[in-house]
Amino acid sequence: SLFRLKDLEVPKLGDCDVHVKMLAAPINPADINMIQGTYPLLSPLPAVGGNEGVGEVLEVGRRVAALKPGDWVIPANAGLGTWRTQGVFPEEMLLKVPSDIPVLCAATLSVNPCTAFRVLADFESLAPGDSIIQNAANSGVGQAVIQIARASGIKTINVVRDRPDLPKLVERLMALGADHVVTEEMLRKPEMKDIFKSIPRPRLALNCVGGKSTTEMLRHLQPKGTMVTYGGMAKQPVMVPVSAFIFRDVRLRGFWMTQWRKDHAEDQESVAAMMDALCQLIRRGQLTAPACTELPLQDYRAALEASMKPFVSSKQILLL
C-alpha cells in the first residue's frame, strides 16, 4: 500500500510547457520494480507511477512550436509518471504520435514495441527467412516481436511456460503470426529437430527470463549467434555452458530501452524513424496492442494486484 489516489493542483503552464490530459496508461513490470526500488531509475518521492501511456494536448506554452491542442503525445523517456488524469510537462519530455491509431496501441507504444523493434534491428542483421527464438513470448515485448518479425519475413520460435490454458495461448500467439510455440520443457526434447527441418536455426535469441529457460534456449542458437537479455523475470542469473562460448562463439549482449533513449537523445532521426515504422505497422494492422484489461483509475489497486499475478496474459490499462 505504497499507493494513494491524490488530488493535486495542476501547475501553472510555463512558456515551454505542455498541459496534457492523459487518456490511458498501462501497468508494466518495470513500473512495479521502480515502486519496489529494485530498478535503476528512482524518482524522488512522492512520485507519480507509470512510465508509459498516451495523452491529449490541452494547451501549450507560448514557446512550444512542435505541439498544438488536440495532438496526441507519449513519454519521450521513462519516469514521466503517467498514472494521472492531467499533467504539465516540458515539451522535450513528450513525443507526438498520430491520433489516427487506436488509443490502446498509442498507450502501449513507447516501451514494449520500441524494445521489440530495437532488439530485432540492432544486434544481428536479419534477412527474410532467418529465424529468432524468444522466451516469455506472451509478454508485451514478445507479442510485438512476433508481429514485427512477421512483417519482415523473419520466422519466430516462441517459448512460453506450461500452463493450464496452454492451447488457448498457443492459438493466440499463432494468430499474431508466431511460426512455432513451444514450452520450456520442449526445448530439451528431440522434437525440436523437426522444427529445424523447415526453418534455419536462430541467429538471435531474446531473453527476458534468465535461469534454466535461457540456458535451454541458447542450445539452439546458431554458431556466432547472439543472445540479447532485456529482462530477468525469473530473477535468476544467465548460465552459459563454456562449450557454447568456445565451440560456438555465441555472443551475449544486454539491452535497456531507457539507455537507448539516452544514447539517442541528440539523434531525433533514429527516434522518428522507429516511431514511423511502428505507426505504419499499426495502421496496416500488422502490429496490435497486447491483450488488455481496461480499468478506471479508481480501481488502481485491483489493476496493480492483477498485474502481479503469475501467468498473466492480459496487460492492465488504466483509463484516465
Side-chain angles (χ1 to χ4, degrees), residues 113-155:
C114 289
T115 300
F117 186 89
R118 298 264 55 107
V119 293
L120 285 170
D122 294 353
F123 296 92
E124 287 280 342
S125 46
L126 299 168
D130 283 345
S131 83
I132 65 134
I133 187 167
Q134 66 165 345
N135 54 22
N138 58 316
S139 67
V141 174
Q143 293 176 54
V145 162
I146 290 171
Q147 297 174 83
I148 296 167
R150 178 64 181 270
S152 333
I154 293 156
K155 310 283 183 202

Side-chain angles (χ1 to χ4, degrees), residues 251-269:
R251 279 137 233 257
L252 266 61
R253 301 284 308 272
F255 181 78
W256 187 29
M257 193 65 220
T258 300
Q259 188 63 47
W260 187 92
R261 290 195 191 281
K262 277 190 194 126
D263 295 346
H264 293 80
E266 303 305 308
D267 175 13
Q268 280 314 300
E269 266 172 53

Side-chain angles (χ1 to χ4, degrees), residues 63-306:
R63 300 193 29 207
V64 173
L67 294 170
K68 59 183 190 310
D71 284 348
W72 277 14
V73 288
I74 63 174
N77 297 297
L80 190 68
T82 53
W83 301 344
R84 62 173 104 209
T85 54
Q86 304 193 15
V88 170
F89 309 107
E91 179 183 17
E92 71 268 11
M93 291 176 75
L94 304 168
L95 279 180
K96 183 177 166 175
V97 291
S99 54
D100 65 347
I101 60 174
V103 70
L104 292 181
C105 288
T108 54
L109 186 57
S110 63
V111 179
N112 295 332
C114 289
T115 300
F117 186 89
R118 298 264 55 107
V119 293
L120 285 170
D122 294 353
F123 296 92
E124 287 280 342
S125 46
L126 299 168
D130 283 345
S131 83
I132 65 134
I133 187 167
Q134 66 165 345
N135 54 22
N138 58 316
S139 67
V141 174
Q143 293 176 54
V145 162
I146 290 171
Q147 297 174 83
I148 296 167
R150 178 64 181 270
S152 333
I154 293 156
K155 310 283 183 202
T156 58
I157 302 162
N158 300 281
V159 186
V160 296
R161 287 182 298 172
D162 201 1
R163 63 193 64 216
D165 57 350
L166 185 65
K168 209 152 91 196
L169 175 61
V170 171
E171 194 181 328
R172 204 158 60 80
L173 297 183
M174 297 299 270
L176 287 180
D179 294 283
H180 299 275
V181 181
V182 298
T183 61
E184 296 188 344
E185 292 70 32
M186 275 178 66
L187 284 175
R188 256 167 279 170
K189 301 259 163 75
E191 291 91 286
M192 282 300 287
K193 289 201 181 66
D194 296 340
I195 289 182
F196 299 122
K197 284 177 186 154
S198 59
I199 64 174
R201 282 185 175 270
R203 300 200 2 224
L204 181 66
L206 305 175
N207 166 48
C208 82
V209 179
K212 195 180 257 167
S213 161
T214 309
T215 312
E216 294 298 339
M217 197 165 64
L218 204 57
R219 285 172 195 251
H220 301 293
L221 206 54
Q222 265 188 38
K224 293 200 185 333
T226 304
M227 181 169 78
V228 180
T229 293
Y230 67 91
M233 282 153 86
K235 298 189 170 57
Q236 289 162 352
V238 168
M239 309 283 274
V240 182
V242 170
S243 60
F245 280 128
I246 299 175
F247 302 118
R248 293 197 291 123
D249 188 17
V250 298
R251 279 137 233 257
L252 266 61
R253 301 284 308 272
F255 181 78
W256 187 29
M257 193 65 220
T258 300
Q259 188 63 47
W260 187 92
R261 290 195 191 281
K262 277 190 194 126
D263 295 346
H264 293 80
E266 303 305 308
D267 175 13
Q268 280 314 300
E269 266 172 53
S270 292
V271 178
M274 169 173 70
M275 300 316 289
D276 284 350
L278 291 170
C279 289
Q280 285 291 45
L281 290 172
I282 290 168
R283 281 198 198 93
R284 289 194 210 120
Q286 292 178 306
L287 178 61
T288 54
C292 292
T293 304
E294 301 168 49
L295 290 158
L297 184 59
Q298 290 77 347
D299 298 349
Y300 73 93
R301 283 215 163 85
L304 281 167
E305 270 168 34

